[in-house]
Amino acid sequence: MDIEGESAGAVASDVVCVYGSMHRTVSTEFHVKITRSLSSSLYRTKLTEEDLLVAIYCNGALCRDVMGALDVSSRLIQFIESDGSRSTCPSSHILCSLGLLRGRNSLVFHSKVLNIKAECSVYLWSVTDKIVVVDIDGTLTKSDVRGYVETVYLGRYDYVHEGAVSFFSLLHKEFSVCTLYLTSRPLHHLADTRAFLRLVQDHKGHHLPPGPLFTNRENVMRAIYRELVAKTTAQFKGSVLIDVLSVFVSLGSPSTPYCLGVGNKETDALAYRMAGLNAARILLVQPSSEIRVSVALPGVREGTGGTAEVSFNTYSDPALVEYVRHKMQWNDTGERAIGIGESRPPELPGMPDGGKEDGEDRIFPWRHREEDQCAEENVTGEILHSSIPPPPPTLSANSSASSAGSPTQKKKKSRQPVARATAPTPPPPPVDFTGGHRRNLSKAASVSGKKLSKMTDFFNPNQAADI
């Protein structure tokens, strides 16, 4: 059957699918929704259960073992499980039956009876892959409003920051990281945003790396109100990042998959911190193309106010490339990041418990507690480590005289503890200016009282996103 042509009657968001050990595969939710006009026409038509069935094609081939069905009430296309149940989150058996390949896969939902054709991209990643999160408006484009208007309504893709395309292309080629694009643009402009990411290029012909695109599922007016008036985009972006994070956690990922977050507003930084990113791994792009990042000062724990702001000229600044290269090669605990840029099998590494018995640390092992590195004599938050070795123990006159006593006395004395000179405790390794301690997620998500009250709905898992 010919499935070529543009989408009609429905729109589909991109999906992240992750495979782990034991041939288990988990994905984010499939959001394939028909338009309101088509839904109104279907309500006036008598349709049978067979008429609501939807065929699924993966990379141009019909998936004969997988079938979808339209739920008229929710306007969503759902997968039909082997037991007859329907869900937008397919089981591992269905995901394996799709015949997905490593990287990008094209998934098409097609029905001649319903006049539906919707296409989405399904990205198959490994549980050990690392992700770079990239905002679009103001981060890739030079401004929010003008960049949005030119890329969506005018079809112009040259109003981007200098060196942005080359920077993300370099990260993808050098470290083989996965790129996730996150924007508060409405779902209605999904096709225009995909065209921008596909067609934008620099003067050397470099293109942006491929990656899933997550947009706001609300309509245009609600998305604009959330972005410009309410300024609660952190709630939407944080929920998307945590949904992807939960997929990795369900497969037993020993660490957070996010290694870098790039945005242009404090709301972007808040969403990234809620997903477990350290502040030193969050880049904020200014309208002048200057890039700023907050790093912890040497010897001061993160979250105590001891931070400094480091700025880079543009994406093309060699110092920025070296800074990010250091962050890619070393994790926040000072250990080398194993596997960055390497091809690794899907077998999971051992789950490090670090001797902890806390249940939350076992589920989210990267939520480790901050170790107290302050000495007993701590003045104004500075860590003082004495490098003077302790004086050697002095022997009293009685002990020296007893050493020349009878053998029985020597034998009795040998049972008593003898003072020994102990080696001085070595000072901790120097803290790199780009380092800093990793925050606990609960601390990373903490904000002022007013902002925290706005995020109450986000932390309620029973409330679904407004679609």
Side-chain angles (χ1 to χ4, degrees):
M1 181 181 295
D2 185 15
I3 58 172
E4 297 296 332
E6 298 181 356
S7 300
V11 62
S13 301
D14 290 348
V15 177
V16 171
C17 187
V18 183
Y19 66 95
S21 62
M22 305 299 293
H23 304 284
R24 184 163 174 250
T25 308
V26 184
S27 72
T28 56
E29 182 185 11
F30 281 77
H31 185 81
V32 186
K33 197 170 188 177
I34 64 174
T35 59
R36 292 185 179 272
S37 58
L38 178 59
S39 177
S40 302
S41 63
L42 293 179
Y43 268 113
R44 298 189 297 266
T45 307
K46 294 182 178 180
L47 298 174
T48 63
E49 290 293 334
E50 294 183 358
D51 296 336
L52 297 177
L53 297 179
V54 178
I56 300 176
Y57 296 81
C58 182
N59 298 325
L62 176 63
C63 301
R64 302 184 182 276
D65 299 333
V66 182
M67 183 65 67
L70 174 64
D71 182 42
V72 181
S73 59
S74 63
R75 298 190 291 142
L76 293 174
I77 296 179
Q78 302 173 339
F79 288 88
I80 303 177
E81 300 288 347
S82 57
D83 58 355
S85 61
R86 301 180 181 184
S87 174
T88 56
C89 297
S91 62
S92 179
H93 174 72
I94 290 183
L95 293 174
C96 294
S97 301
L98 291 175
L100 299 174
L101 303 176
R102 169 76 178 182
R104 181 184 177 276
N105 298 268
S106 175
L107 210 66
V108 178
F109 300 83
H110 183 266
S111 174
K112 276 191 173 182
V113 178
L114 302 176
N115 194 20
I116 292 176
K117 180 183 179 296
E119 181 179 1
C120 69
S121 297
V122 179
Y123 286 83
L124 182 62
W125 293 342
S126 170
V127 71
T128 54
D129 286 337
K130 295 300 179 180
I131 303 175
V132 174
V133 185
V134 184
D135 179 49
I136 294 180
D137 294 317
T139 303
L140 293 178
T141 62
K142 293 183 179 180
S143 67
D144 286 340
V145 179
R146 181 178 172 182
Y148 176 74
V149 172
E150 289 196 0
T151 57
V152 172
Y153 296 100
L154 302 180
R156 297 180 56 184
Y157 309 132
D158 55 350
Y159 191 66
V160 296
H161 286 287
E162 177 187 354
V165 178
S166 303
F167 176 77
F168 292 108
S169 178
L170 175 66
L171 293 183
H172 177 70
K173 293 179 180 179
E174 183 171 348
F175 300 102
S176 300
V177 294
C178 303
T179 308
L180 186 149
Y181 299 98
L182 184 59
T183 177
S184 57
R185 294 183 179 186
L187 188 62
H188 180 71
H189 295 148
L190 178 63
D192 301 308
T193 309
R194 284 175 177 169
F196 163 68
L197 297 177
R198 185 178 67 256
L199 299 177
V200 64
Q201 60 180 353
D202 61 0
H203 63 282
K204 296 182 179 179
H206 296 153
H207 292 266
L208 289 173
L213 171 63
F214 290 92
T215 61
N216 195 336
R217 296 177 181 177
E218 298 175 329
N219 56 36
V220 178
M221 296 306 300
R222 287 185 178 181
I224 294 177
Y225 176 82
R226 181 187 290 271
E227 173 74 21
L228 301 179
V229 181
K231 297 183 179 180
T232 57
T233 55
Q235 178 179 354
F236 151 70
K237 293 183 178 181
S239 63
V240 172
L241 295 178
I242 289 184
D243 287 342
V244 178
L245 176 63
S246 63
V247 173
F248 283 81
V249 172
S250 63
L251 292 173
S253 176
S255 61
T256 174
Y258 303 116
C259 60
L260 189 68
V262 188
N264 69 312
K265 295 181 179 179
E266 288 297 330
T267 53
D268 297 333
L270 175 60
Y272 298 159
R273 290 195 298 267
M274 291 167 59
L277 268 175
N278 190 295
R281 295 180 178 270
I282 300 175
L283 309 180
L284 293 182
V285 186
Q286 308 302 314
S288 61
S289 297
E290 183 186 27
I291 300 176
R292 298 176 182 176
V293 58
S294 297
V295 298
L297 294 176
V300 179
R301 288 183 298 175
E302 185 181 354
T304 59
T307 59
E309 192 175 73
V310 180
S311 61
F312 306 94
N313 295 330
T314 61
Y315 281 106
S316 303
D317 192 341
L320 174 63
V321 178
E322 291 300 323
Y323 176 83
V324 175
R325 182 178 286 113
H326 172 83
K327 285 297 178 183
M328 291 294 182
Q329 294 176 350
W330 302 90
N331 55 29
D332 297 330
T333 60
E335 299 177 354
R336 187 170 183 84
I338 303 299
I340 292 292
E342 302 174 0
S343 57
R344 293 163 295 174
E347 284 75 17
L348 294 176
M351 178 72 74
D353 55 9
K356 304 292 183 180
E357 294 297 333
D358 185 54
E360 183 177 354
D361 287 348
R362 290 182 178 273
I363 299 175
F364 299 96
W366 57 87
R367 296 188 184 182
H368 56 277
R369 305 177 182 87
E370 294 180 349
E371 297 181 358
D372 188 6
Q373 297 189 4
C374 298
E376 295 181 358
E377 298 178 359
N378 191 347
V379 182
T380 64
E382 297 181 357
I383 302 176
L384 302 180
H385 297 280
S386 176
S387 59
I388 303 176
T394 58
L395 300 179
S396 61
N398 296 333
S399 61
S400 60
S402 63
S403 61
S406 61
T408 56
Q409 291 179 348
K410 290 183 179 180
K411 187 174 183 180
K412 292 181 180 180
K413 290 295 181 179
S414 63
R415 294 195 183 98
Q416 298 179 358
V418 180
R420 298 179 182 274
T422 58
T425 304
V431 183
D432 188 75
F433 80 97
T434 60
H437 303 281
R438 184 176 297 178
R439 288 183 176 180
N440 187 287
L441 286 185
S442 60
K443 294 183 180 180
S446 62
V447 290
S448 61
K450 294 183 180 180
K451 291 185 178 180
L452 186 60
S453 61
K454 293 181 181 180
M455 302 302 298
T456 304
D457 296 337
F458 168 71
F459 290 102
N460 187 358
N462 297 323
Q463 293 185 359
D466 185 11
I467 298 177

